[in-house]
């Protein structure tokens, strides 16, 4: 049975943000954030973008060019201050819609050593969006923070079938030993 359970572990689950398409707002407006798919140009729909396939660049810039957001398929999020940040209201909403394989289940701050104060990170009730409030933070020039987005683990259908088959085989073997 251990071999059956180990077989289920060997299969890789989709990455939390793999193939995600993200729609963003900044302080409640879609016209104040621009995405990579639109080459960071303010135009209709420029607040929606897919994950950077190369994994090396930012997906969003605030239209005032103060913040950059880099999402990785693994769920790692980096927020970068693009220069000196003056105190103000900085609230961001990122909606993944139905493009996630599994809803997000956890959102935790990994590193905020480049800023003063703590950002407020929250997950949408449906697991398809995140909110980041940077209003109460102070930033040094070109500082960054990182957070991890995780999706709930979903067992693969093949591993469940293998486990049930193993349990049935054990039950059949037990039945035989009782009869003899």
């Amino acid at each position: 049975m251990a071999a059956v359970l180990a077989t289920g572990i060997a299969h890789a689950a989709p990455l939390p943000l793999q193939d995600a398409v993200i729609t963003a707002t900044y302080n409640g407006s879609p016209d104040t954030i621009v995405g990579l798919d639109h080459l960071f140009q303010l135009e209709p729909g420029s607040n929606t973008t897919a994950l950077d396939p190369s994994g090396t660049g930012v997906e969003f810039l605030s239209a005032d060019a103060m913040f950059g957001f880099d999402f990785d398929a693994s769920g790692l999020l980096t927020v970068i201050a693009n220069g000196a940040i003056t105190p103000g209201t900085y609230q961001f909403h990122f909606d993944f819609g139905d493009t996630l394989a599994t809803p997000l289940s956890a959102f935790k701050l990994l590193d905020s050593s480049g800023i003063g104060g703590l950002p407020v990170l929250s997950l949408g009730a449906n697991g398809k969006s995140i909110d980041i409030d940077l209003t109460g933070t102070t930033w040094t020039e070109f500082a960054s923070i990182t957070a991890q987005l995780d999706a709930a683990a979903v067992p693969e259908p093949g591993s469940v079938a293998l486990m049930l088959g193993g349990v049935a085989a054990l039950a059949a073997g037990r039945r035989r030993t009782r009869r003899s």
Side-chain angles (χ1 to χ4, degrees):
M1 183 149 155
V4 171
L5 292 174
T7 305
I9 295 169
H11 297 287
L15 296 171
L17 301 183
Q18 186 173 332
D19 303 321
V21 175
I22 311 162
T23 300
T25 60
Y26 173 26
N27 289 337
S29 174
D31 299 327
T32 53
I33 193 159
V34 291
L36 175 63
D37 287 358
H38 296 269
L39 301 176
F40 306 110
Q41 299 299 309
L42 192 54
E43 57 190 25
S46 63
N47 68 317
T48 298
T49 194
L51 242 55
D52 177 16
S54 70
T56 60
V58 298
E59 279 75 26
F60 288 101
L61 289 175
S62 56
D64 57 16
M66 289 202 304
F67 294 99
F69 295 85
D70 180 24
F71 290 90
D72 186 80
S74 69
L76 188 66
L77 165 64
T78 304
V79 181
I80 305 136
N82 192 22
I85 305 295
T86 58
T89 301
Y90 306 114
Q91 298 172 336
F92 300 89
H93 176 77
F94 298 95
D95 191 331
F96 302 93
D98 292 327
T99 63
L100 300 177
T102 307
L104 297 170
S105 60
F107 184 25
K108 67 181 174 185
L109 188 62
L110 299 178
D111 180 24
S112 63
S113 59
I115 66 170
L118 285 175
V120 177
L121 311 172
S122 58
L123 215 69
N126 60 6
K128 296 180 180 183
S129 65
I130 60 170
D131 291 302
I132 304 170
D133 189 345
L134 303 173
T135 301
T137 59
T138 57
W139 296 71
T140 57
E141 193 169 9
F142 304 112
S144 66
I145 61 171
T146 55
Q148 180 66 45
L149 301 160
D150 289 315
V154 175
E156 294 187 27
S159 61
V160 172
L162 280 171
M163 185 175 76
L164 291 175
V167 169
L170 286 172
R174 222 173 231 253
R175 182 178 278 173
R176 279 189 210 137
T177 55
R178 281 188 187 159
R179 287 184 181 167
S180 51

